[in-house]
Amino acid sequence: MSIASDLIRGHTDMIILAQLIKKDSYGYEINKVIQQKSKGFYELKEATLYTAFRRLEQAECISSYWGEESIGARRRYYTITEWGVETYRRLKSEWDTAKGLIDLLIKEEG
């Protein structure tokens, strides 16, 4: 479903921040939740996901730390900052406005 990917691509940061508002998480888990919520229609490519993490960390929207797993490889966890919460709310508001406008522009008359 390439059209969905094109429409969603510009909203990667908001999607990631929405997951981190709920709880700290690591890349694979975030991508798994995105796949589950989209019923398999959308997933982030690994390169896209980790590029977004770097961008969000540089913008001070998230920070990261190494988890203390008892089994398996260490995982890098991401947590949202106060600035990240504000950024998420702004991006969500912009999305809601754009969605409302598009809905008005494509609404069929009658």
Side-chain angles (χ1 to χ4, degrees):
M1 188 181 242
S2 63
I3 187 105
S5 296
D6 290 343
L7 287 170
I8 295 170
R9 188 171 295 119
H11 304 283
T12 302
D13 291 355
M14 180 178 61
I15 292 166
I16 291 170
L17 292 173
Q19 298 309 307
L20 292 174
I21 278 179
K22 298 169 190 155
K23 67 175 190 153
D24 293 3
S25 192
Y26 54 96
Y28 176 78
E29 183 178 49
I30 289 172
N31 208 12
K32 187 175 166 186
V33 169
I34 290 168
Q35 287 176 319
Q36 288 172 341
K37 284 187 167 188
S38 70
K39 298 186 182 354
F41 285 107
Y42 187 72
E43 72 175 285
L44 290 169
K45 290 184 171 62
E46 191 173 324
T48 301
L49 183 64
Y50 288 97
T51 298
F53 284 149
R54 280 192 298 279
R55 183 175 53 250
L56 289 166
E57 224 168 351
Q58 288 173 348
E60 299 182 356
C61 291
I62 64 173
S63 61
S64 62
Y65 60 92
W66 289 102
E68 298 294 327
E69 282 72 31
S70 57
I71 319 173
R74 285 178 55 191
R75 293 183 180 133
R76 187 175 197 139
Y77 283 80
Y78 296 90
T79 187
I80 195 166
T81 63
E82 287 183 38
W83 177 246
V85 172
E86 288 180 37
T87 299
Y88 168 75
R89 288 182 180 146
R90 179 182 51 79
L91 292 172
K92 176 75 167 67
S93 176
E94 289 172 5
W95 165 254
D96 289 339
T97 301
K99 182 183 177 305
L101 178 58
I102 291 168
D103 285 346
L104 286 172
L105 293 171
I106 64 173
K107 182 178 179 182
E108 292 185 25
E109 299 300 319

